[in-house]
RNA sequence: GGGGGGUUAGCUCAGCGGUAGAGCGCCUGCUUUACACGCAGGAAGUCGCAGGUUCGAGACCUGCACCCCCCACCA
């Protein structure tokens, strides 16, 4: 978007210098990315290109990286997102912005802890024996390696991150930010501690938030169990999918208005096996009259609904399943048994007591741990929570007001849906790796939440203090990332200079986990949304592979880079980045991008060879440009405009396609072939050749600049040979298009030329003769269009050359050939050999198609509705189309009749 | 139970009111002095189904079918 360019100047790359040392203009014959990729990265970094430069007031563009987990290495999904970000960063940098892109990593509590636990298990070390301190030390060692690996992967990708500002969520400054945020929310009453039923993972041994529970439909059983009710001989039949929890039942519930169960009102039931007396309570919220028997067993300690009902009715909360998933002492004879074993035992016992009325197959949704897939247990425990509504409402308003915008837009609705139905957030985790909760309890039971570690209890002065052993949910620190990286809550220069950021690029899978929470935290703590645009990209999957979870998409970006080159991987990512929700990556695409890189390389070799040691036009001012020159410069300018427009809309795929099409099909297939003709000396003079070389230079320079954000290494490598200014492409102006170069007349003329050439080639193909077989072409430009006719005259030598014509005649086609109309120009084509029966048949077929189309078009033009209501230009276009079809019919018809 | 997305050439996907596009694959020719990771030409689509709106519909509306994703405290 040209208007967006702070130092826009047309003719971006025009003023580059001729290299001083001619020997340096040679490119290696074979293209090997490994030769130069790492070298350029070092040069850019050493020259400080990744750091924001320019006066503080000048336009800036800031992003923070979504910090990868330090669990191991980067996968193809991360590399995808980082590539898109780097394209934006390099594009904006070349447009003259002060670009800052902040790198860093996330400690990733549960995920990282699990990795280390697995390692320890392999070594036969017991975590508990090792102890918290030594365990955490061990994770830090792991973290250093993982961070290095991740950093080197990101570097290999070419990402222009400012490594001098690298952050880690457990850095002292960022930990201080976490404590500050926690204390502030606590003091504001937005963090509270309480005993509630939470999602508990027995394997991880920690509470998790609602978002960390993955619901899956499973085929289970619905057990119908009869409880004795004194006074009601039939007893009460309840249905449950989890019979083991019945040991924790403390009531039965019925709906007050359900006549079926009215007889239980005020009664007391007896819990089988245990013998506990269960009051029958009436709870219209808990009991759905439509479902099952209308009687619900109430287990306040093991079901969130039952818990709420229990609190409403003051029921006892009996925990029968412990944090390890085994039955507690409250479970009597089942104590110590695994929850699923206990279920089997209980069912058996009920059966033997004739209390099991039935077992029905029942498909229902079951929560699983996001990390380890263990069945989540609702578990009553004391945890810390964020009261979310007061944070969510302003975050909703910010998006409504357009302060934050989602691209693609469809995510806006998803965001609203979630935010409007959001629940309080359980933030405490019973883990060792993470930010310790800054809450301290003294010997006298006084709880204090404080930013600094306490020496004595502020309430009673006791010096016997224990800090809460729990850590915070990783996302609690991640939500602060866009400002904690800049030193918040301190008013640092970076915080003042670079916050809020501009764009956040991430996968839609963490919209709720991370993006929404950052918006809430940003607004609450800093008063502004942390970014103005969120680009949510699709999730990467490999071709042929289903979306399945633990398939572990094992394609390491580094493997792809070593095989195809970083530029090819990046270009593949860009061209695959459609607006859909999945991005498919496959080897054929990678190979295609590699081929494209090679194409550019070879086009550059050719161009550099032509320029070497020969004069070229430094400027086109006052020089006579040929139609092909004007055409390619016009196309170049339009391409630049298109690319900028597509990037501004986050349409990386369209931008990549525009560049691909221009470079390959117009510059290489079109202009280079025409330039060869001029440069060979067969047409034009020395001046024309100078101009051609100037145009070639300009096209290559601008192509390199336009492609640089996508393929930074290769373009910088060629740029050095072209300009003799190594490592400067990254900070060269980005072409935005030059309206002065746009030339519809030249475009039309060359399009006609190319169409004629194609028609001749295709004629040879149809007649099955070699491309060198002499062909005589007649063309009869419309005298009514003087400009077009004149341009065709001018292009005659080019037409002869490209179509390898033996003869070219301007005038009515001779009667012996085949006739057609190409781009509005009547033509005749003839070979020495006469047309065969097969040729006539083919022509007849084409003729039939044309007749059909002519009928349709004329029917349309006879339709009054169309003539009255369709816009004039559409009607006119239809008329012209009909005219052309009729002309072709006439031409072909006359030839076919011969 | 709610919400969202998809269904276009063999494959992967663009297009989103004016009678279909790309890349890859496929077929046929090519040592055309940058490139076989190439050049030239070509074949290939009832745009999921049925209605409707419109002069005109892959494109807008309404149903339907089948796929996918997200959210959800249905014992």
């Amino acid at each position: 978007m040209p208007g967006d360019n702070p130092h826009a100047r047309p003719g971006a790359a025009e003023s580059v210098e001729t290299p001083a040392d001619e020997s340096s203009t040679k490119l290696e014959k074979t293209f090997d990315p490994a030769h130069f990729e790492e070298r350029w990265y070092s040069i850019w970094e050493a020259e400080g290109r990744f750091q924001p430069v320019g006066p503080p007031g000048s336009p800036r563009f800031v992003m923070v990286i979504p910090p990868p987990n330090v669990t191991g290495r980067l996968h193809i999904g991360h590399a995808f997102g980082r590539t898109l970000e780097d394209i934006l960063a390099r594009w904006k940098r070349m447009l003259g912005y002060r670009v800052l892109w902040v790198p860093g990593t996330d400690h990733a509590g549960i995920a990282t802890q699990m990795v280390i636990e697995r390692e320890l298990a392999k070594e036969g070390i017991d975590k508990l024996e090792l102890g918290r301190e030594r365990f955490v030390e061990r994770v830090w060692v792991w973290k250093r390696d993982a961070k290095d690996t991740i950093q080197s992967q990101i570097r290999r990708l070419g990402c222009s991150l400012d490594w001098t500002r690298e952050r880690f969520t457990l850095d002292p400054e960022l930990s201080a930010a976490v404590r500050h945020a926690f204390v502030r929310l606590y003091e504001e009453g937005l963090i509270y501690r309480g005993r509630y039923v939470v999602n508990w993972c027995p394997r991880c041994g920690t509470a998790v938030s609602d978002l960390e529970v993955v619901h899956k439909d499973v085929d289970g059983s619905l057990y119908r169990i009869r409880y004795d009710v004194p006074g009601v001989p039939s007893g009460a039949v309840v249905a449950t999918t989890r019979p083991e929890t019945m040991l924790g039942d403390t009531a039965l519930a019925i709906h007050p208005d359900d006549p079926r169960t009215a007889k239980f009102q005020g009664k007391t039931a007896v819990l089988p096996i245990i013998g506990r007396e269960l009051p029958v309570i009436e709870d219209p919220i808990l009991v759905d009259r439509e479902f099952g028997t209308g009687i619900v067993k109430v287990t306040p300690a093991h079901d969130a609904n039952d818990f709420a009902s229990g609190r409403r009715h003051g029921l006892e909360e009996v925990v029968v399943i412990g944090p390890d998933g085994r039955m507690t002492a409250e479970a009597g004879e089942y104590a110590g048994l695994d929850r699923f074993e206990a279920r089997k035992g209980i069912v058996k016992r009920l059966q033997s007591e004739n209390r099991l009325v039935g077992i029905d197959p029942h498909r229902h949704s079951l929560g699983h741990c996001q990390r380890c897939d263990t069945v989540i247990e609702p578990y009553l425990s004391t945890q810390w929570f964020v009261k979310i509504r007061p944070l969510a409402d302003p975050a909703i308003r910010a998006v409504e007001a357009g302060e934050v915008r989602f691209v693609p837009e469809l995510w806006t609705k998803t965001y609203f849906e979630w935010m409007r139905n959001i629940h309080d957030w359980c933030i405490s985790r019973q883990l060792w790796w993470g930010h310790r909760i800054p809450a301290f309890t003294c010997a006298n039971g006084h709880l204090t939440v404080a930013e600094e570690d306490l020496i004595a209890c502020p309430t009673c002065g006791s010096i016997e203090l224990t800090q809460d052993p729990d850590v915070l949910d990783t996302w609690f620190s991640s939500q602060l990332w866009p400002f904690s990286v800049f030193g918040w809550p301190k008013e640092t220069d970076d915080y003042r200079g670079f916050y809020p950021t501009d764009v956040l690029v991430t996968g839609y899978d963490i919209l709720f986990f991370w993006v929404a929470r950052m918006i809430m935290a940003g607004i609450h703590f800093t008063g502004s949304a942390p970014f103005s645009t969120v680009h949510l990209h699709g999730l990467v999957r490999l071709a042929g592979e289903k979306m399945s979870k633990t398939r572990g998409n094992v394609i390491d970006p580094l493997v792809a880079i070593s095989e195809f080159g970083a530029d090819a991987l990046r270009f593949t990512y860009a061209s695959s980045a459609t607006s859909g929700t999945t991005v498919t990556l496959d080897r054929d695409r990678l190979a295609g991008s590699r081929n494209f890189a090679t194409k550019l390389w070879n086009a550059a070799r050719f161009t550099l060879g032509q320029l070497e040691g020969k004069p070229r036009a430094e400027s086109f001012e006052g020089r006579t440009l040929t139609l092909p020159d004007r055409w390619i410069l016009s196309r170049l300018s339009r391409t630049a405009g298109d690319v900028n427009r597509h990037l501004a809309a986050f349409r990386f795929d369209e931008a990549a396609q525009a560049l691909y099409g221009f470079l390959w099909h117009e510059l290489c297939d079109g202009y280079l072939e025409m330039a060869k003709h001029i440069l060979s000396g067969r047409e034009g003079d020395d001046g024309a050749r100078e101009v051609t070389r100037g145009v070639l230079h300009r096209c290559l320079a601008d192509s390199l600049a336009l492609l640089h954000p996508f393929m930074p290494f290769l373009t910088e490598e060629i740029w050095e040979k072209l300009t003799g200014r190594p490592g400067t492409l990254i900070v060269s102006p980005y072409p935005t298009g030059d309206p002065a170069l746009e030339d519809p007349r030249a475009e039309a003329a060359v399009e006609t030329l190319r169409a004629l050439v194609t028609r001749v080639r295709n004629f040879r193909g149809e007649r099955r003769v070699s491309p060198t077989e002499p062909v005589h072409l007649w063309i009869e430009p419309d005298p009514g269009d003087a400009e077009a006719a004149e341009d065709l005259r001018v292009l005659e030598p080019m037409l002869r050359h490209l179509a390898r014509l033996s003869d070219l005649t301007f005038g009515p086609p001779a009667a012996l050939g085949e006739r057609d109309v190409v781009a509005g120009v009547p033509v005749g084509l003839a070979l020495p050999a006469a047309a065969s029966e097969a040729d006539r048949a083919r022509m007849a077929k084409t003729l039939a198609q044309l007749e059909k189309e002519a009928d349709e078009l004329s029917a349309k033009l006879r339709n009054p509705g169309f003539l009255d209501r369709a816009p004039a230009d559409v009607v006119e276009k239809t008329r012209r189309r009909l005219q052309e079809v009729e002309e072709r019919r006439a031409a072909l018809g006359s030839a076919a009749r011969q």
Side-chain angles (χ1 to χ4, degrees), chain A residues 157-228:
Chain A
L157 251 189
C159 296
S160 53
L161 288 148
D162 182 357
W163 295 107
T164 67
R165 287 180 165 89
E166 187 177 14
R167 297 289 183 267
F168 176 55
T169 47
L170 279 173
D171 282 346
E173 297 79 17
L174 280 78
S175 299
V178 167
R179 280 182 80 148
H180 180 81
F182 186 95
V183 172
R184 188 170 147 192
L185 288 174
Y186 181 77
E187 287 170 353
E188 290 167 335
L190 297 178
I191 279 182
Y192 61 92
R193 187 167 176 263
R195 199 167 155 75
Y196 296 93
V197 168
V198 296
N199 305 300
W200 184 270
C201 175
R203 200 223 58 88
C204 298
T206 181
V208 295
S209 71
D210 293 345
L211 277 179
E212 289 162 281
V213 179
V214 179
H215 293 275
K216 293 184 212 171
D217 275 354
V218 293
D219 288 314
S221 302
L222 190 62
Y223 302 87
R224 277 177 290 128
I225 304 162
R226 184 168 43 76
Y227 289 29
D228 290 335

Side-chain angles (χ1 to χ4, degrees), chain A residues 103-405:
Chain A
T105 42
D106 195 303
H107 69 281
I110 302 189
T112 310
Q113 177 154 339
M114 268 181 69
V115 170
I116 307 304
E117 282 171 0
R118 267 203 300 268
E119 272 212 334
L120 290 175
K122 259 187 258 165
E123 294 165 31
I125 300 172
D126 178 33
K127 181 182 102 181
L128 294 171
E129 225 166 82
L130 193 66
R132 182 167 189 153
E133 229 166 275
R134 289 185 58 199
F135 180 87
V136 170
E137 274 169 30
R138 172 101 193 215
V139 188
W140 276 103
V141 172
W142 164 275
K143 177 259 169 186
R144 269 188 289 279
D145 281 355
K147 198 211 78 172
D148 289 350
T149 305
I150 290 165
Q151 194 189 105
S152 75
Q153 286 177 296
I154 295 175
R155 286 167 178 272
R156 287 293 305 278
L157 251 189
C159 296
S160 53
L161 288 148
D162 182 357
W163 295 107
T164 67
R165 287 180 165 89
E166 187 177 14
R167 297 289 183 267
F168 176 55
T169 47
L170 279 173
D171 282 346
E173 297 79 17
L174 280 78
S175 299
V178 167
R179 280 182 80 148
H180 180 81
F182 186 95
V183 172
R184 188 170 147 192
L185 288 174
Y186 181 77
E187 287 170 353
E188 290 167 335
L190 297 178
I191 279 182
Y192 61 92
R193 187 167 176 263
R195 199 167 155 75
Y196 296 93
V197 168
V198 296
N199 305 300
W200 184 270
C201 175
R203 200 223 58 88
C204 298
T206 181
V208 295
S209 71
D210 293 345
L211 277 179
E212 289 162 281
V213 179
V214 179
H215 293 275
K216 293 184 212 171
D217 275 354
V218 293
D219 288 314
S221 302
L222 190 62
Y223 302 87
R224 277 177 290 128
I225 304 162
R226 184 168 43 76
Y227 289 29
D228 290 335
V229 182
V232 182
S234 58
V237 176
V238 303
T240 180
T241 53
R242 297 189 301 151
E244 68 279 11
T245 64
M246 70 186 289
L247 305 180
D249 286 358
T250 54
L252 292 187
I254 57 172
H255 192 104
D257 306 328
D258 188 348
R260 290 185 300 167
T261 54
K263 59 186 171 208
F264 296 108
Q265 280 172 3
K267 297 282 194 302
T268 300
V270 180
L271 179 62
I273 303 174
I274 303 282
R276 185 187 303 131
E277 292 202 335
L278 307 175
V280 175
I281 61 170
E282 294 173 39
D283 190 332
I285 299 170
L286 182 66
V287 183
D288 174 2
R289 291 172 62 182
E290 309 302 312
F291 191 92
T293 59
I295 310 169
V296 180
K297 60 189 269 306
V298 186
T299 322
H302 293 286
D303 181 281
N305 286 321
D306 293 6
F307 173 78
S309 177
R311 287 281 165 103
R312 285 193 293 272
H313 293 87
L315 298 178
E316 209 187 328
E317 291 156 358
V318 179
V319 175
V320 293
I321 303 170
D324 55 356
R326 293 179 179 280
M327 307 307 286
T328 66
E330 292 282 358
E333 62 186 274
Y334 299 99
L337 265 187
D338 174 82
R339 53 189 165 149
F340 297 115
E341 290 302 315
R343 176 182 301 177
K344 286 183 201 159
I346 289 165
V347 168
K348 216 169 187 177
R349 166 99 177 254
L350 292 171
Q351 231 155 3
S352 70
E353 291 181 4
N354 209 21
R355 298 188 168 280
L356 193 60
V357 180
I359 306 177
D360 302 316
H362 184 66
R363 194 166 173 78
H364 62 123
S365 176
L366 237 194
H368 293 70
C369 175
Q370 181 198 32
R371 293 292 163 193
C372 70
D373 210 36
T374 301
V375 173
I376 290 293
E377 197 61 42
Y379 176 63
L380 182 64
S381 57
T382 301
Q383 304 288 347
W384 294 85
F385 299 86
V386 172
K387 193 172 166 189
I388 209 79
R389 197 75 264 159
L391 297 170
D393 288 335
I396 291 170
R397 285 195 294 274
V399 174
E400 282 170 343
E403 287 158 37
V404 180
R405 129 186 187 258

Side-chain angles (χ1 to χ4, degrees), chain A residues 486-763:
Chain A
F486 295 126
W488 180 90
K490 292 200 187 100
E491 280 272 333
T492 62
D493 288 348
D494 271 11
Y495 178 68
R496 276 196 301 271
F498 299 113
Y499 184 83
T501 70
D502 294 279
V503 174
L504 181 86
V505 178
T506 191
Y508 67 83
D509 54 331
I510 51 176
L511 173 58
F512 306 142
F513 278 108
W514 193 45
V515 180
R517 286 169 177 164
M518 279 191 289
I519 298 172
M520 290 189 272
I523 292 170
H524 186 76
F525 292 116
T526 73
S528 36
F531 29 71
S532 49
T533 305
V534 182
H535 175 55
L536 292 165
H537 61 245
L539 270 22
V540 181
R541 62 161 206 204
L542 297 177
E545 197 173 291
K546 288 267 192 279
M547 280 295 280
S548 73
K549 52 296 167 157
T550 33
R551 279 288 298 234
N553 280 357
V554 283
I555 276 214
D556 187 324
L558 289 183
V559 173
I561 288 172
S562 60
E563 198 169 343
F564 298 100
D567 290 322
L569 176 62
R570 292 171 59 112
F571 195 81
T572 303
Y573 278 138
S575 55
S576 309
T578 62
S579 50
T581 51
T582 61
V583 170
T584 313
L585 199 66
D586 67 88
R587 295 182 55 84
D588 285 347
R589 258 196 119 101
L590 282 164
S593 299
R594 191 261 330 267
N595 296 353
F596 179 60
T598 308
K599 190 75 183 173
L600 173 62
W601 182 264
N602 282 303
R605 279 179 62 220
F606 171 79
T607 302
L608 292 170
Q610 296 300 324
L611 297 179
E612 197 182 345
K614 301 202 188 72
R616 66 174 163 83
E618 294 292 333
S619 155
F620 309 130
E621 194 74 34
R623 305 297 295 255
T624 305
L625 294 169
T626 64
L627 285 166
D629 295 336
R630 287 158 58 195
W631 164 69
I632 199 66
L633 290 171
S634 181
R635 292 298 312 139
L636 173 66
S637 172
R638 286 193 205 276
T639 303
D642 290 346
V643 169
N644 281 280
R645 193 164 43 79
H646 290 134
L647 286 178
F650 297 90
R651 286 305 301 263
F652 301 93
D653 59 327
E654 299 278 10
Q657 200 184 26
L659 285 165
Y660 186 99
F662 170 76
L663 188 99
W664 200 309
H665 298 306
E666 299 190 299
L667 186 58
C668 290
D669 294 346
Y671 187 72
L672 255 44
E673 294 307 316
M674 297 183 209
K676 281 178 186 172
H677 187 236
I678 305 289
L679 295 168
S680 71
R682 282 175 294 218
E683 190 192 338
D685 56 15
D686 284 348
R689 279 183 281 282
E690 247 177 58
V691 170
T692 300
R693 282 190 290 267
V695 173
L696 276 176
H697 182 281
R698 170 67 177 275
C699 285
L700 179 58
D702 278 15
S703 296
L704 292 173
L706 286 168
L707 274 164
H708 181 261
F710 301 84
M711 309 181 110
F713 298 111
L714 171 66
T715 50
E716 192 74 86
E717 175 75 11
I718 299 170
W719 182 259
E720 180 190 23
K721 314 295 183 200
L722 183 71
T723 68
R725 296 186 308 168
T728 59
L729 178 56
I730 186 173
V731 287
S732 293
Y734 201 71
T736 53
D738 177 0
L741 291 178
E742 283 165 26
D743 190 336
R745 178 173 170 180
E747 287 193 26
V750 174
E751 295 316 331
T752 302
L753 167 72
R754 298 188 82 194
L756 289 168
V757 171
T758 298
R759 185 64 184 87
V760 174
R761 286 168 174 166
N762 137 323
F763 174 66

Side-chain angles (χ1 to χ4, degrees), chain A residues 856-879:
Chain A
E856 284 164 6
L857 290 167
S858 41
K860 206 168 183 177
L861 288 165
R862 265 184 270 109
N863 179 354
F866 177 69
L867 296 173
D868 291 349
R869 309 210 188 179
D873 62 309
V874 173
V875 175
E876 181 49 32
K877 222 165 122 186
T878 309
R879 283 217 172 87

